[in-house]
Amino acid sequence: MSSVGAGFRLVRAGWVLVREGVVAALPGDELFGLPKFGWRVARLFTRRRALAYERGDRLAKAVVRLGPSYVKLGQFLATRPDVVGNDIALDLAMLQDKMQTFPQAEAIAAIEASLGRKVGELYASFGEAVAAASIAQVHTAETLQNGVGSRVAVKVIRPGVRRRFFRDLESYFLAARLQEKYIPSSRRLRPVEVTQTLAQTTKIEMDLRLEAAALSELGENTRDDPGFRVPTVDWERTGRDVLTMEWVDGIKLNDIAGLTAAGHDLKAIAANLVQSFLRQTLRDGFFHADMHPGNLFVEPDGTIVAVDLGIAGRLGKKERRFLAEILYGFITRDYLRVAEVHFEAGYVPRQHNVAAFAQAIRAIGEPIHGQPAETISMAKLLALLFEVTDLFDMATRSELVLLQKTMVVVEGVARTLDPAFNMWKTSEPVVGGWISGNLGPRALLADARDGASALLALARQAPDLAARTERLSREIDLMAEHGLRFDERTAHAIGKAEARYSRSGRLALWVIALTLVVIASKLL
């Protein structure tokens, strides 16, 4: 029944997208066959008033009708231009996470249930909600410490959002499985894995203790960085459903007129924002992955304060090194090295030719070198790079796509502040410093030290590894003699899972087919 319910919810979502004109706004003229017929039918069922709106506005209205979980889905897919395409990703990125507030009494009940104390004991005063999003809303409050009052922001989880979101997740997984099964070309994009990433990301966002931990970690990493910080967390008043942090008094970064009136240097703010992001990415491997203007404030002294760290990105040391080498290779026009880095990182399958891939990389790099530096977009460079890797079967790397999305947003914000913003000149001190420290002689010494430590750890595990090898050898001998066998429970579980998978797909297809019959009958 769960699969049937997921199928009906999926059909309802499709119907809302049709009625609000989202499907009709797609470039259907490029389609052919059954997809083009479906697009034409969708145009017939589009609301007349929806045709007057731009595609982004149609998408926003449809998502709001579908509810908070679809707002979050849209925002997540905005981070995956490799899945939905650059144009759709830009439309999704414009979705405003603004929802109706829920009653203050429900917020108080959630706080008291999460922290096990009365609101009156926790806060000297607790005000009405000042902002509401798909997962939580924010209240203003005041705490009293040693007789000194402090204004704080209190973020509270929306009641029932977990249950609703994970119910809708069933529909997302059903759509992803059907896509993988019936659209072979989409398997490279791993739609089921993308949905699993969405589920995990949202689980983290719905536990405000984890957001508090991310704020704390980023705060420690950037403690000595000039002109950038995040709010401090009040751990005593933070739990799974509530996050209390310092109140930020500043001007939002999308208020250009307010920033100008306050006397801020917009060019300096733009440079500071990009350099702060690059420090987080290259130096720390942990970056704020939702740095749109609504999450960034500028304090009177020009310091940028980033809030809402529900989405964060991580890059390992190896990924950071590869990223730096790729950027450095483009700067020096060493396209063969850029191609080799992709193969060394395992991003491109080994069956492809390195020289042919280097030729494709050159097609991206050479046009860039003929442009003025201020017109070259690092984010566009990465987007073009992903387009080329598609030709060489490069599998989706979620951490790199999230980095690309964040870089697109950060660079876009910087160009809003300074239309002549030079991304390469601004990033050179950070990127160049990191490359010299991590790809030069000091890096070789650090790698040698890490290698020696790894060898020492391996030597300590040698007796255990020898015992495991001996056991494995005996098991392989037995397998060669008697063959590979499953016990009864394993065989039964495999058969049951396969039957459930096939049944779910058939049920969903029947639901969709019946819906199309109803639509066709109304049309005739």
Side-chain angles (χ1 to χ4, degrees), residues 329-349:
F330 273 107
I331 293 171
T332 59
R333 302 171 77 173
D334 189 350
Y335 304 119
L336 181 60
R337 180 57 191 154
V338 174
E340 289 172 346
V341 168
H342 278 78
F343 280 80
E344 290 171 9
Y347 295 159
V348 178

Side-chain angles (χ1 to χ4, degrees), residues 1 3-4 181 496-510:
M1 291 304 294
S3 297
V4 173
K181 187 172 183 178
K496 188 176 180 181
E498 181 62 26
R500 187 188 307 117
Y501 178 80
S502 300
R503 187 166 58 251
S504 300
R506 288 196 298 271
L507 286 170
L509 288 174
W510 273 110

Side-chain angles (χ1 to χ4, degrees), residues 144-181:
L144 202 60
Q145 299 277 3
N146 300 322
V148 179
S150 299
R151 194 180 182 194
V152 294
V154 184
K155 188 173 183 178
V156 187
I157 285 288
R158 183 176 290 275
V161 69
R162 291 189 183 90
R163 181 178 66 255
R164 179 167 183 176
F165 190 88
F166 291 115
R167 184 191 64 190
D168 286 338
L169 264 178
E170 294 178 358
S171 303
Y172 304 160
F173 274 111
L174 176 59
R177 288 195 297 268
L178 291 172
Q179 183 180 353
E180 279 198 357
K181 187 172 183 178

Side-chain angles (χ1 to χ4, degrees), residues 226-350:
F228 183 90
R229 71 180 189 89
V230 294
T232 56
V233 175
D234 184 340
W235 285 101
E236 181 186 352
R237 297 169 178 83
T238 294
R240 188 183 75 146
D241 295 341
V242 55
L243 165 60
T244 304
M245 58 194 141
E246 71 168 295
W247 183 267
V248 177
D249 280 316
I251 303 171
K252 279 194 176 184
L253 212 58
N254 54 6
D255 184 2
I256 304 297
L259 292 171
T260 303
H264 289 293
D265 184 342
L266 300 187
K267 292 185 178 180
I269 293 174
N272 182 22
L273 175 66
V274 169
Q275 290 181 350
S276 296
F277 167 70
L278 290 172
R279 287 190 199 98
Q280 296 169 32
T281 303
L282 292 175
R283 181 192 64 195
D284 308 322
F286 179 67
F287 58 92
H288 193 309
D290 197 16
M291 295 179 74
H292 64 75
N295 285 342
L296 301 169
F297 294 82
V298 179
E299 294 182 310
D301 65 352
T303 298
I304 297 173
V305 185
V307 301
D308 194 0
L309 200 51
I311 304 176
R314 290 190 184 274
L315 289 178
K317 185 176 181 181
K318 182 178 75 172
E319 285 75 23
R320 284 180 273 160
R321 180 172 297 178
F322 287 139
L323 176 65
E325 284 210 66
I326 288 169
L327 294 177
Y328 187 70
F330 273 107
I331 293 171
T332 59
R333 302 171 77 173
D334 189 350
Y335 304 119
L336 181 60
R337 180 57 191 154
V338 174
E340 289 172 346
V341 168
H342 278 78
F343 280 80
E344 290 171 9
Y347 295 159
V348 178
R350 287 285 177 182

